[in-house]
Amino acid sequence: VISPEPLEVELPNSEPQLVISATTIQPFGSVILVSRSFDALTVKDTIDFNSSTLLDKILVSNAIVEITYNSKKIVLKEIFRGIYGSVELEYLENINYDLYVKDPSTGLEATASTQYVDNLVDFELVQKNYDTIYSFTSTWSDESNRNYLIASNKLTSNLNLFKNVDHSFLKLFSSNYALYDASNKNNNGKYEHKPFYTPYVKGDTIIVSLSAINLDYYSYLTAYKKSGSILNQILAEPIRTLPTNVNNGLGYFALYGTKSKILILE
Amino acid sequence: MRIILFIFLFTGVNIFGQDISIEFKNMSIKSCLETLNEKYKANISFDQSMPEMSKTVNLNIKKSSIMQVLKSILKGTTLDFKQVGVNIVVFQKTTSMSDSDTKDLKMYTISGRVLDKSSGEALPGAYIQIIDNLQGIIANDYGFYTLRLSAGSHKVSISYLGYISQTEILNIGSNKEITFELEEDGIVMNEVVITEQKIKSEEHISNLQMSKLSVPMGLMSKVPTFLGESDIIKVFQLMPGVKRGGEGGTSMYVRGGASDENLVLLDEAPVYNAGHLLGFLSVFNTPALKKAEFYKGNADASFGGRLSSVLDVTMKDGNNKKFSGYGSISNIAANITLEGPIIDNKTSVIISGRRFYLDKIVDIFIKGLFPYNFYDFNIKLNHELNKNDRIYLSSYLGKDILDFGDALPADSISGNLNGNLGTDQGNKTRTFRWNHQYPNQRTFHNITLYTSDFNYNIKADAINNSFFINSSIKDIGAKFDVDYQANNARKIDYGIQYVFHRFNPSIYNSLKDKLEELPIEQKKIPNHEYNTYGSINQEFKKGLASTLGARISAINIYGKTFMQVEPRISLRKLLSKNHSIKASFAKNTQYVHLIQSSSVALPTDLWYPTTKNLPPAKSAQYSLGYFTNIGKTKDIQVSVEGYYKHMNNLVEYKEGAVLFFNKNIEDKLLLGKGKAYGAEILIQKNTGKLTGWIGYTWSKALRQFDKINNGKEFYAKYDRRHDLSVVSSYALTEKFDLNLVYVYSTGNPFTPITAKYLMPSPSLNGIDIMPIHAARNSYRLNYSSRLDFDLAFKKGKNNNLEFHMGAYNLLNRVQPSRVDVGLNKDGKLVYREKGILGFILSFGIKFKI
């Protein structure tokens, strides 16, 4: 048996697009990450974020990022490379927030629209510590008619946004957020975010959060989570297109309230 | 395409419209008629033994039609003539077949079987032609035939591909039962074969059935295939309209259909998974087979249940005259077949077995490295109860086993897998049939009872985890078929069928604690299928013929019934003796879906029945074809066919649907539609030193699902614009055969990742790199081009020993099947197209006992 050499081929790349991601970071409130899509041959599976050349190519600095609501326009400031936020932004329910982003270096523009969802759900946190690991369990009763929730735990001592970039494999075993659909009310409004185990060193900080989100963002996160699951990547129909609410771009623009508990590990 | 058909339609030679001038001086009538045949291709048939054939005539005819010339030649004799289609038959007036006379003559029924002389094996599809009027009939699947003849003497010819044709004079004065025995033609280069081929070629022109592929079993076993193992599915994949799936695989995509749209029958029992070795070889053990016919369009109304094609495979009945055996040994497998009489000329048996043994060879070097094997076992008994009744009992058993045992390294996935992983899958079929020919009547019936089982199992054991997945289908069916030969020009077939299906789409069983969340068992889905069908074949005057048929199918599941009427219509017009055009229309309904991922190749298939949420798939196909014979002896059959097919209720997974552990599969599916159209050319030569074919297909296959590709139409998985195959078997000498296959095809469509982007995870503990895909199947792989060869050397008495040496992918060219990203020689990331197989050398021995 002799194997032939593979054929080296060229595939046309799609034009770069703006990528919008909005999340809540305590204590900044909601922040917007603006980046660009990049050539599929730039990296294979992981990105070395020590490469400033690559980051310069991907993260959009000096962008114009504006949010308009109630006839008021807020210009977001760049608080970290590619991350934009503003303390002036108010969080009001039942009104539209319109996002406008322009990348001055490429001239790319994108828009998106969303509504803020406040979190009226509080939770209790049960923690247990073992020799080298901690476990956390969040429980809550949803009596606020918030149907879609995201519960997450994060080790803030390692809060380096660009660490642990791994597209696939470890995610199954280090999953630390979960999505909850309370719309069917099957659980009598009682929910439990199962134990999250983390190795720690003394002095590390854990932020445990619970956020209420709308159905569209829930659907987006569900697809996003599936696309990163190792089980899905091996045994599932691939998700080729993540849903987006960004016009002329990718990602998702969502504003939501978060309740958090901060623990310093002993 | 339009231009090609136009040219073909007008190239037929028509002697009847010509005026000729000719002189006969002291010539016998026989010589006159022969002169007309030679000079003007007049297609005049006559019995040379008629007394007045030696009578001499003197004629000088100027500018007259062929009819006027014949009238002049036969003037004053008791001979007459009649035009039959494009032929002219000269006959003795006293035994004439003229319409007026025929009404007055008493007609008798001649029935019986056509058999192989040496083995007693029935010859299904044998062609029986009445020389007097050139009417022909075809023996049924069990070799039975029925003719209607008037009192008197008639000459008939009996032929079957690969056998020496035989001419008999039948003196008819009463109903008769006659068995014809044909001798297998061991030497393929003699004159008799040319005569036989001539008649077979006429059948190619005159048979109403279009879009049908058949290859003599002798040629089937010569076509070089994967690792020296002959395989009927691999052979049909080389014919126009039938596209192979992945490289080396046995999946078939027929006229734009999907791989689950092919009805595969072994002695009338359905075979749900026809592939072994992850699809590299089919389950059919060629030496045990009598015939394999492939319908890619308008199949007979008795076939149904799939949208695209029917592969009808029949096992040999077994030699009822003497014991014989044959076998083969190749790189990867060995098989042996034994057959012989239990009661001479009454009861016979055939037993055949095949074992894949590459695992044993690899074990010699590294134990457990390749823990895979499969086997097939076929057995068939047939017994003649009396001259009108015959029963058959046949069974097939095949299994694939992949058992890693302790070979899998520990800690490979979850950190605690201790390495016990295995899968097996298999088919089982059993068929009982009873044939009955009603004495002195024109009716034949067959009753079939069958079962078919397909199942696969996956099991994995770990220290703390253990799971078991099982999926299976069980069919129990009964059929009652009747053939009624009303006269030589009209045949009526009808029948009924009932099938009980029991689907177990997937059963999961978790034995230990860590996987306790998996569902323990899913419900079994039983359903009942009812079919009734019938068709009338009618020959009209002026070369016209039609088949009007219909199938009414219904399925009942959980009290809900789905019913469909599926018309099957065929038309044929003879343009001349060597040219015809045919058209057909067929509707089909499919009550079972094979749920497959569009991108992940799994070793298992999930068959799922129609339910109230998953309606039956439907298709309608229109075909038009031109058929001709070319070459000096008209032994090269040429067909050009065009088709258009549309399909509804096709199934795909939703994006993100997990393929295992689904509690409710129906929620994970999408329904869509498809269409396909194309043109196919087949040039086939089945006799002589050089045999084989050239097949070419131009085609398009499209799909549309509202929730895939933003609702826009996209190319089907194996849409390929051009497919070309050249298959040749050349007898270099009496001892050496050289067999070659060349295949060219356009690349398959695929969906590439054209860019990527970053997205922080909601918990902000990391960032994912997300792919940006192009539109579904919007890019194409490079073309495939492959040359295979096989050199056979025959030795011993009657060439009973054959040594084979062959190669797959002789030019070692990559057959692109996927694209990945990797480093090139310069260390730069590039896209690379890879295949599955490269150059593979094979050796084999075939022997006869």
Side-chain angles (χ1 to χ4, degrees), chain B residues 279-301:
Chain B
F280 285 128
L281 288 171
S282 82
V283 298
F284 298 112
N285 189 14
T286 310
L289 306 180
K290 174 156 54 179
K291 76 175 173 80
E293 291 179 329
F294 198 100
Y295 302 85
K296 54 189 178 177
N298 184 6
D300 186 89

PDB file of all heavy atoms in Angstrom, chain B residues 279-301:
ATOM      1  N   GLY B 279     -18.087  -0.108   4.733  1.00  0.00           N
ATOM      2  CA  GLY B 279     -18.569   0.223   3.397  1.00  0.00           C
ATOM      3  C   GLY B 279     -17.631  -0.130   2.267  1.00  0.00           C
ATOM      4  O   GLY B 279     -17.956   0.079   1.114  1.00  0.00           O
ATOM      5  N   PHE B 280     -16.444  -0.694   2.530  1.00  0.00           N
ATOM      6  CA  PHE B 280     -15.501  -0.959   1.448  1.00  0.00           C
ATOM      7  C   PHE B 280     -15.908  -2.162   0.584  1.00  0.00           C
ATOM      8  O   PHE B 280     -15.499  -2.258  -0.558  1.00  0.00           O
ATOM      9  CB  PHE B 280     -14.091  -1.182   1.990  1.00  0.00           C
ATOM     10  CG  PHE B 280     -13.426   0.101   2.439  1.00  0.00           C
ATOM     11  CD1 PHE B 280     -12.868   0.218   3.686  1.00  0.00           C
ATOM     12  CD2 PHE B 280     -13.385   1.200   1.604  1.00  0.00           C
ATOM     13  CE1 PHE B 280     -12.264   1.404   4.100  1.00  0.00           C
ATOM     14  CE2 PHE B 280     -12.792   2.387   1.996  1.00  0.00           C
ATOM     15  CZ  PHE B 280     -12.228   2.492   3.248  1.00  0.00           C
ATOM     16  N   LEU B 281     -16.648  -3.094   1.143  1.00  0.00           N
ATOM     17  CA  LEU B 281     -17.112  -4.240   0.360  1.00  0.00           C
ATOM     18  C   LEU B 281     -18.588  -4.454   0.631  1.00  0.00           C
ATOM     19  O   LEU B 281     -19.071  -4.177   1.729  1.00  0.00           O
ATOM     20  CB  LEU B 281     -16.351  -5.515   0.757  1.00  0.00           C
ATOM     21  CG  LEU B 281     -14.899  -5.623   0.328  1.00  0.00           C
ATOM     22  CD1 LEU B 281     -14.251  -6.827   0.998  1.00  0.00           C
ATOM     23  CD2 LEU B 281     -14.789  -5.757  -1.182  1.00  0.00           C
ATOM     24  N   SER B 282     -19.305  -4.969  -0.372  1.00  0.00           N
ATOM     25  CA  SER B 282     -20.723  -5.220  -0.152  1.00  0.00           C
ATOM     26  C   SER B 282     -20.912  -6.599   0.479  1.00  0.00           C
ATOM     27  O   SER B 282     -19.979  -7.406   0.543  1.00  0.00           O
ATOM     28  CB  SER B 282     -21.494  -5.127  -1.470  1.00  0.00           C
ATOM     29  OG  SER B 282     -21.385  -6.331  -2.180  1.00  0.00           O
ATOM     30  N   VAL B 283     -22.131  -6.846   0.927  1.00  0.00           N
ATOM     31  CA  VAL B 283     -22.404  -8.114   1.600  1.00  0.00           C
ATOM     32  C   VAL B 283     -22.606  -9.254   0.605  1.00  0.00           C
ATOM     33  O   VAL B 283     -22.769 -10.398   1.013  1.00  0.00           O
ATOM     34  CB  VAL B 283     -23.664  -8.009   2.497  1.00  0.00           C
ATOM     35  CG1 VAL B 283     -23.448  -6.990   3.581  1.00  0.00           C
ATOM     36  CG2 VAL B 283     -24.897  -7.682   1.668  1.00  0.00           C
ATOM     37  N   PHE B 284     -22.578  -8.931  -0.706  1.00  0.00           N
ATOM     38  CA  PHE B 284     -22.889  -9.963  -1.689  1.00  0.00           C
ATOM     39  C   PHE B 284     -21.645 -10.754  -2.088  1.00  0.00           C
ATOM     40  O   PHE B 284     -20.676 -10.183  -2.576  1.00  0.00           O
ATOM     41  CB  PHE B 284     -23.544  -9.341  -2.919  1.00  0.00           C
ATOM     42  CG  PHE B 284     -24.834  -8.672  -2.593  1.00  0.00           C
ATOM     43  CD1 PHE B 284     -24.975  -7.300  -2.679  1.00  0.00           C
ATOM     44  CD2 PHE B 284     -25.914  -9.421  -2.146  1.00  0.00           C
ATOM     45  CE1 PHE B 284     -26.172  -6.690  -2.345  1.00  0.00           C
ATOM     46  CE2 PHE B 284     -27.108  -8.819  -1.818  1.00  0.00           C
ATOM     47  CZ  PHE B 284     -27.238  -7.454  -1.910  1.00  0.00           C
ATOM     48  N   ASN B 285     -21.723 -12.026  -1.878  1.00  0.00           N
ATOM     49  CA  ASN B 285     -20.637 -12.927  -2.201  1.00  0.00           C
ATOM     50  C   ASN B 285     -20.851 -13.406  -3.636  1.00  0.00           C
ATOM     51  O   ASN B 285     -21.676 -14.288  -3.902  1.00  0.00           O
ATOM     52  CB  ASN B 285     -20.661 -14.087  -1.195  1.00  0.00           C
ATOM     53  CG  ASN B 285     -19.454 -14.963  -1.318  1.00  0.00           C
ATOM     54  OD1 ASN B 285     -18.469 -14.590  -1.958  1.00  0.00           O
ATOM     55  ND2 ASN B 285     -19.521 -16.124  -0.695  1.00  0.00           N
ATOM     56  N   THR B 286     -20.149 -12.801  -4.572  1.00  0.00           N
ATOM     57  CA  THR B 286     -20.449 -12.958  -6.003  1.00  0.00           C
ATOM     58  C   THR B 286     -20.595 -14.407  -6.467  1.00  0.00           C
ATOM     59  O   THR B 286     -21.509 -14.717  -7.232  1.00  0.00           O
ATOM     60  CB  THR B 286     -19.385 -12.224  -6.841  1.00  0.00           C
ATOM     61  OG1 THR B 286     -19.254 -10.904  -6.322  1.00  0.00           O
ATOM     62  CG2 THR B 286     -19.764 -12.147  -8.293  1.00  0.00           C
ATOM     63  N   PRO B 287     -19.733 -15.345  -6.058  1.00  0.00           N
ATOM     64  CA  PRO B 287     -19.864 -16.713  -6.600  1.00  0.00           C
ATOM     65  C   PRO B 287     -21.205 -17.377  -6.285  1.00  0.00           C
ATOM     66  O   PRO B 287     -21.594 -18.324  -6.970  1.00  0.00           O
ATOM     67  CB  PRO B 287     -18.721 -17.476  -5.905  1.00  0.00           C
ATOM     68  CG  PRO B 287     -17.760 -16.442  -5.475  1.00  0.00           C
ATOM     69  CD  PRO B 287     -18.570 -15.229  -5.168  1.00  0.00           C
ATOM     70  N   ALA B 288     -21.910 -16.897  -5.268  1.00  0.00           N
ATOM     71  CA  ALA B 288     -23.177 -17.539  -4.912  1.00  0.00           C
ATOM     72  C   ALA B 288     -24.366 -16.933  -5.651  1.00  0.00           C
ATOM     73  O   ALA B 288     -25.510 -17.327  -5.421  1.00  0.00           O
ATOM     74  CB  ALA B 288     -23.405 -17.420  -3.397  1.00  0.00           C
ATOM     75  N   LEU B 289     -24.088 -15.968  -6.541  1.00  0.00           N
ATOM     76  CA  LEU B 289     -25.196 -15.233  -7.156  1.00  0.00           C
ATOM     77  C   LEU B 289     -25.477 -15.698  -8.578  1.00  0.00           C
ATOM     78  O   LEU B 289     -24.556 -16.017  -9.335  1.00  0.00           O
ATOM     79  CB  LEU B 289     -24.881 -13.735  -7.174  1.00  0.00           C
ATOM     80  CG  LEU B 289     -24.517 -13.123  -5.821  1.00  0.00           C
ATOM     81  CD1 LEU B 289     -24.228 -11.648  -5.980  1.00  0.00           C
ATOM     82  CD2 LEU B 289     -25.622 -13.357  -4.802  1.00  0.00           C
ATOM     83  N   LYS B 290     -26.750 -15.708  -8.914  1.00  0.00           N
ATOM     84  CA  LYS B 290     -27.146 -16.056 -10.275  1.00  0.00           C
ATOM     85  C   LYS B 290     -27.269 -14.810 -11.136  1.00  0.00           C
ATOM     86  O   LYS B 290     -26.797 -14.766 -12.259  1.00  0.00           O
ATOM     87  CB  LYS B 290     -28.476 -16.805 -10.247  1.00  0.00           C
ATOM     88  CG  LYS B 290     -29.011 -17.073 -11.641  1.00  0.00           C
ATOM     89  CD  LYS B 290     -29.951 -18.251 -11.737  1.00  0.00           C
ATOM     90  CE  LYS B 290     -31.116 -18.224 -10.821  1.00  0.00           C
ATOM     91  NZ  LYS B 290     -31.965 -19.419 -11.033  1.00  0.00           N
ATOM     92  N   LYS B 291     -27.917 -13.786 -10.608  1.00  0.00           N
ATOM     93  CA  LYS B 291     -28.050 -12.557 -11.401  1.00  0.00           C
ATOM     94  C   LYS B 291     -28.223 -11.356 -10.487  1.00  0.00           C
ATOM     95  O   LYS B 291     -28.647 -11.492  -9.328  1.00  0.00           O
ATOM     96  CB  LYS B 291     -29.216 -12.656 -12.388  1.00  0.00           C
ATOM     97  CG  LYS B 291     -30.586 -12.500 -11.790  1.00  0.00           C
ATOM     98  CD  LYS B 291     -31.642 -12.489 -12.883  1.00  0.00           C
ATOM     99  CE  LYS B 291     -33.053 -12.504 -12.310  1.00  0.00           C
ATOM    100  NZ  LYS B 291     -33.573 -11.272 -11.851  1.00  0.00           N
ATOM    101  N   ALA B 292     -27.881 -10.223 -11.028  1.00  0.00           N
ATOM    102  CA  ALA B 292     -28.074  -8.955 -10.316  1.00  0.00           C
ATOM    103  C   ALA B 292     -28.538  -7.935 -11.337  1.00  0.00           C
ATOM    104  O   ALA B 292     -27.871  -7.721 -12.344  1.00  0.00           O
ATOM    105  CB  ALA B 292     -26.772  -8.518  -9.670  1.00  0.00           C
ATOM    106  N   GLU B 293     -29.702  -7.361 -11.087  1.00  0.00           N
ATOM    107  CA  GLU B 293     -30.245  -6.376 -12.018  1.00  0.00           C
ATOM    108  C   GLU B 293     -30.481  -5.078 -11.272  1.00  0.00           C
ATOM    109  O   GLU B 293     -30.923  -5.099 -10.120  1.00  0.00           O
ATOM    110  CB  GLU B 293     -31.549  -6.880 -12.630  1.00  0.00           C
ATOM    111  CG  GLU B 293     -31.307  -8.047 -13.561  1.00  0.00           C
ATOM    112  CD  GLU B 293     -32.569  -8.610 -14.178  1.00  0.00           C
ATOM    113  OE1 GLU B 293     -33.621  -8.534 -13.509  1.00  0.00           O
ATOM    114  OE2 GLU B 293     -32.485  -9.123 -15.290  1.00  0.00           O
ATOM    115  N   PHE B 294     -30.214  -3.991 -11.949  1.00  0.00           N
ATOM    116  CA  PHE B 294     -30.278  -2.693 -11.293  1.00  0.00           C
ATOM    117  C   PHE B 294     -31.243  -1.795 -12.065  1.00  0.00           C
ATOM    118  O   PHE B 294     -31.063  -1.554 -13.252  1.00  0.00           O
ATOM    119  CB  PHE B 294     -28.878  -2.069 -11.292  1.00  0.00           C
ATOM    120  CG  PHE B 294     -28.729  -0.971 -10.296  1.00  0.00           C
ATOM    121  CD1 PHE B 294     -28.129  -1.205  -9.082  1.00  0.00           C
ATOM    122  CD2 PHE B 294     -29.208   0.301 -10.562  1.00  0.00           C
ATOM    123  CE1 PHE B 294     -28.003  -0.195  -8.145  1.00  0.00           C
ATOM    124  CE2 PHE B 294     -29.088   1.311  -9.639  1.00  0.00           C
ATOM    125  CZ  PHE B 294     -28.479   1.066  -8.429  1.00  0.00           C
ATOM    126  N   TYR B 295     -32.273  -1.326 -11.372  1.00  0.00           N
ATOM    127  CA  TYR B 295     -33.253  -0.433 -11.986  1.00  0.00           C
ATOM    128  C   TYR B 295     -33.042   0.964 -11.406  1.00  0.00           C
ATOM    129  O   TYR B 295     -33.217   1.173 -10.215  1.00  0.00           O
ATOM    130  CB  TYR B 295     -34.672  -0.873 -11.669  1.00  0.00           C
ATOM    131  CG  TYR B 295     -34.998  -2.277 -12.116  1.00  0.00           C
ATOM    132  CD1 TYR B 295     -34.683  -3.372 -11.316  1.00  0.00           C
ATOM    133  CD2 TYR B 295     -35.627  -2.504 -13.333  1.00  0.00           C
ATOM    134  CE1 TYR B 295     -34.979  -4.668 -11.721  1.00  0.00           C
ATOM    135  CE2 TYR B 295     -35.931  -3.794 -13.748  1.00  0.00           C
ATOM    136  CZ  TYR B 295     -35.607  -4.868 -12.929  1.00  0.00           C
ATOM    137  OH  TYR B 295     -35.907  -6.140 -13.332  1.00  0.00           O
ATOM    138  N   LYS B 296     -32.673   1.909 -12.257  1.00  0.00           N
ATOM    139  CA  LYS B 296     -32.414   3.255 -11.740  1.00  0.00           C
ATOM    140  C   LYS B 296     -33.552   4.214 -12.087  1.00  0.00           C
ATOM    141  O   LYS B 296     -33.449   5.410 -11.852  1.00  0.00           O
ATOM    142  CB  LYS B 296     -31.084   3.779 -12.270  1.00  0.00           C
ATOM    143  CG  LYS B 296     -30.958   3.742 -13.765  1.00  0.00           C
ATOM    144  CD  LYS B 296     -29.553   4.075 -14.231  1.00  0.00           C
ATOM    145  CE  LYS B 296     -29.475   3.969 -15.752  1.00  0.00           C
ATOM    146  NZ  LYS B 296     -28.186   4.326 -16.291  1.00  0.00           N
ATOM    147  N   GLY B 297     -34.597   3.659 -12.687  1.00  0.00           N
ATOM    148  CA  GLY B 297     -35.721   4.514 -13.053  1.00  0.00           C
ATOM    149  C   GLY B 297     -37.019   3.799 -12.793  1.00  0.00           C
ATOM    150  O   GLY B 297     -37.315   3.411 -11.673  1.00  0.00           O
ATOM    151  N   ASN B 298     -37.728   3.557 -13.862  1.00  0.00           N
ATOM    152  CA  ASN B 298     -39.070   3.007 -13.758  1.00  0.00           C
ATOM    153  C   ASN B 298     -39.008   1.493 -13.537  1.00  0.00           C
ATOM    154  O   ASN B 298     -39.089   0.719 -14.469  1.00  0.00           O
ATOM    155  CB  ASN B 298     -39.823   3.343 -15.043  1.00  0.00           C
ATOM    156  CG  ASN B 298     -41.258   2.905 -14.977  1.00  0.00           C
ATOM    157  OD1 ASN B 298     -41.723   2.451 -13.932  1.00  0.00           O
ATOM    158  ND2 ASN B 298     -41.958   3.029 -16.077  1.00  0.00           N
ATOM    159  N   ALA B 299     -38.897   1.094 -12.277  1.00  0.00           N
ATOM    160  CA  ALA B 299     -38.876  -0.342 -11.997  1.00  0.00           C
ATOM    161  C   ALA B 299     -40.296  -0.895 -12.102  1.00  0.00           C
ATOM    162  O   ALA B 299     -41.276  -0.156 -12.052  1.00  0.00           O
ATOM    163  CB  ALA B 299     -38.311  -0.585 -10.608  1.00  0.00           C
ATOM    164  N   ASP B 300     -40.375  -2.198 -12.229  1.00  0.00           N
ATOM    165  CA  ASP B 300     -41.669  -2.867 -12.298  1.00  0.00           C
ATOM    166  C   ASP B 300     -42.523  -2.489 -11.083  1.00  0.00           C
ATOM    167  O   ASP B 300     -41.987  -2.219 -10.002  1.00  0.00           O
ATOM    168  CB  ASP B 300     -41.385  -4.375 -12.307  1.00  0.00           C
ATOM    169  CG  ASP B 300     -42.628  -5.176 -12.521  1.00  0.00           C
ATOM    170  OD1 ASP B 300     -42.950  -5.435 -13.681  1.00  0.00           O
ATOM    171  OD2 ASP B 300     -43.286  -5.525 -11.522  1.00  0.00           O
ATOM    172  N   ALA B 301     -43.839  -2.503 -11.271  1.00  0.00           N
ATOM    173  CA  ALA B 301     -44.727  -2.084 -10.181  1.00  0.00           C
ATOM    174  C   ALA B 301     -44.632  -2.986  -8.954  1.00  0.00           C
ATOM    175  O   ALA B 301     -45.027  -2.596  -7.850  1.00  0.00           O
ATOM    176  CB  ALA B 301     -46.170  -2.046 -10.687  1.00  0.00           C
TER     177      ALA B 301
END
